[in-house]
Amino acid sequence: HTSLRVVVLQALVQFVLSMAAHAGASIDGGGSAGEAAWLEAARGSARGALRSAAKHVRSYLQGALADAFLDIFAEEWEAHCTRPPGIKEACANLRCLAPQAASGSVGGAQGWTADWAFPGSSERQHAAKAIRVFLLLRQLCQELSKEGASESKDDVAMTSSFGSAGGATSSSAARNPLHVLEEVADGYEDQRSVELGRQDRIVCAVASAEGRQSRYLVLHQFLLLLVQPDLVSPGWGIVRTLAPVRAVETQIDRNHPQTLRLGIRLPKGAPSPGAASSYDPATCEEPFFRKLADEHRGSSFYMLTLNFMDTKRCHCADLHLRKRRQEVRAQLKKRAEEFLEGFCS
């Protein structure tokens, strides 16, 4: 599977599932022993391929990508869950199915999509392909386990491995191993009024179309949470910017040490974080937030500038956001490793 184009593997998975559905229906109706044997052999082959794919993905987790692996995994998980493969379109295009070397460059083929040409030559792109393949094979194992009158012990173990990482076993209810419950546990929503109580916070300001606006940077352990003070109800505020702290990078402006710039990276399709403005990381004027083209294929990027009353408050905010990003991402990296280990054994 490591040498196959992603679109070819997608087509093969769909083909195997179609055959398995036919065999399963036949078995349920009292079909032949040959169909049951074929289905069991398909399950075994899929399990073996999944183990191999999981080990391949694990090598990238432990490699040079460091915690950038988490961004790639999040992008591929989102794409796998929300974007069904265009198998019919792909199989009708010979330039898609032909080997990449024979098909020409990605940019030169008319009608060529990124998925068809996927992956390219960088470490990041190869890791993305490995994760996409792993997710496809995991889905294949889950679907094959549903076909026929019964499941083998190996099938149950393989599909329940995902549950051991904190998620459900069904494909519809399966939880992303990088899901952070604490990000949603408090029920914060954009534009919603919340009681601040005794939560630690730092006064800052953001620039908007209406001019400079006062905000509280609430020092939440898992969220970037900017709240507009409610002048009518003291102790309350309105959520104006909300994003996972693990998705936030910070940089203090060297020329203006009271200014903190935030770069926010979210999966494509995720709601924009309040007052933050979108930007192109390939052409960003800020070198710290600039990224190569293959580093932002499946993400959307936003930038927000916070102004503080003094450098002490600015450094305090920077330290909090940096520290919590590192700590949360370290936890997620460990969780991702445990998740993959469940499929490697």
Side-chain angles (χ1 to χ4, degrees):
H1 54 78
T2 58
S3 61
L4 293 176
R5 306 271 296 282
V6 169
V7 68
V8 175
L9 184 61
Q10 289 173 333
L12 288 174
V13 167
Q14 293 296 324
F15 178 69
V16 171
L17 288 177
S18 295
M19 293 184 64
H22 176 77
S26 179
I27 292 171
D28 291 340
S32 67
E35 290 170 317
W38 178 90
L39 188 55
E40 186 59 30
R43 289 170 174 165
S45 297
R47 290 193 296 269
L50 180 58
R51 290 189 185 96
S52 176
K55 292 177 182 178
H56 191 206
V57 172
R58 186 178 59 182
S59 69
Y60 288 103
L61 174 64
Q62 300 169 342
L65 290 171
D67 77 344
F69 174 91
L70 300 175
D71 298 318
I72 305 171
F73 192 96
E75 291 172 359
E76 293 307 318
W77 183 282
E78 187 71 18
H80 179 75
C81 293
T82 62
R83 188 177 62 218
I87 299 299
K88 182 178 179 180
E89 180 186 5
C91 291
N93 191 315
L94 293 178
R95 304 193 72 163
C96 161
L97 295 178
Q100 188 167 355
S103 302
S105 64
V106 173
Q110 185 175 4
W112 193 294
T113 71
D115 282 349
W116 294 355
F118 190 58
S121 57
S122 74
E123 181 81 355
R124 186 182 186 91
Q125 288 175 315
H126 284 302
K129 181 199 172 184
I131 295 168
R132 180 96 54 105
V133 168
F134 165 75
L135 294 175
L136 282 169
L137 291 173
R138 173 179 164 274
Q139 180 184 17
L140 175 62
C141 286
Q142 289 178 332
E143 295 299 326
L144 286 177
S145 70
K146 300 174 185 177
E147 300 296 344
S150 62
E151 297 180 355
S152 69
K153 293 182 179 179
D154 285 341
D155 292 323
V156 174
M158 184 60 70
T159 56
S160 63
S161 295
F162 184 60
S164 67
T169 57
S170 68
S171 58
S172 60
R175 178 175 294 174
N176 187 334
L178 303 188
H179 173 76
V180 179
L181 180 61
E182 292 86 353
E183 292 175 354
V184 296
D186 294 328
Y188 292 116
E189 295 180 12
D190 196 29
Q191 308 303 318
R192 181 177 177 180
S193 181
V194 296
E195 184 176 10
L196 298 174
R198 294 180 176 273
Q199 294 185 80
D200 292 333
R201 49 192 182 267
I202 304 174
V203 177
C204 62
V206 299
S208 68
E210 294 77 25
R212 223 172 135 88
Q213 301 287 321
S214 295
R215 295 287 185 268
Y216 289 140
L217 172 62
V218 179
L219 302 185
H220 196 282
Q221 296 297 295
F222 294 91
L223 294 171
L224 167 66
L225 182 59
L226 286 171
V227 176
Q228 178 181 345
D230 191 328
L231 301 180
V232 178
S233 303
W236 286 73
I238 301 173
V239 177
R240 295 302 189 191
T241 302
L242 184 65
V245 73
R246 58 188 166 114
V248 179
E249 292 183 286
T250 63
Q251 178 75 6
I252 295 177
D253 191 318
R254 293 182 179 180
N255 298 321
H256 303 89
Q258 298 174 349
T259 298
L260 182 64
R261 303 194 188 281
L262 310 181
I264 305 171
R265 178 180 189 146
L266 299 174
K268 284 186 176 178
S272 60
S277 57
S278 61
Y279 77 96
D280 183 354
T283 59
C284 180
E285 295 181 359
E286 296 283 344
F288 180 79
F289 297 110
R290 195 177 302 148
K291 299 183 185 299
L292 298 175
D294 72 326
E295 294 185 43
H296 54 85
R297 184 180 57 87
S299 295
S300 297
F301 291 81
Y302 302 89
M303 188 172 291
L304 184 64
T305 301
L306 305 181
N307 297 300
F308 294 86
M309 296 175 63
D310 52 49
T311 57
K312 181 178 180 180
R313 288 178 172 84
C314 185
H315 280 274
C316 182
D318 179 53
L319 178 62
H320 167 77
L321 293 172
R322 284 178 181 269
K323 181 180 179 181
R324 287 308 301 157
R325 170 186 167 89
Q326 293 171 358
E327 291 175 348
V328 173
R329 290 173 76 89
Q331 293 172 8
L332 291 179
K333 189 173 181 180
K334 182 178 180 180
R335 189 187 301 176
E337 187 169 9
E338 293 173 350
F339 170 71
L340 292 170
E341 284 293 339
F343 294 96
C344 291
S345 57

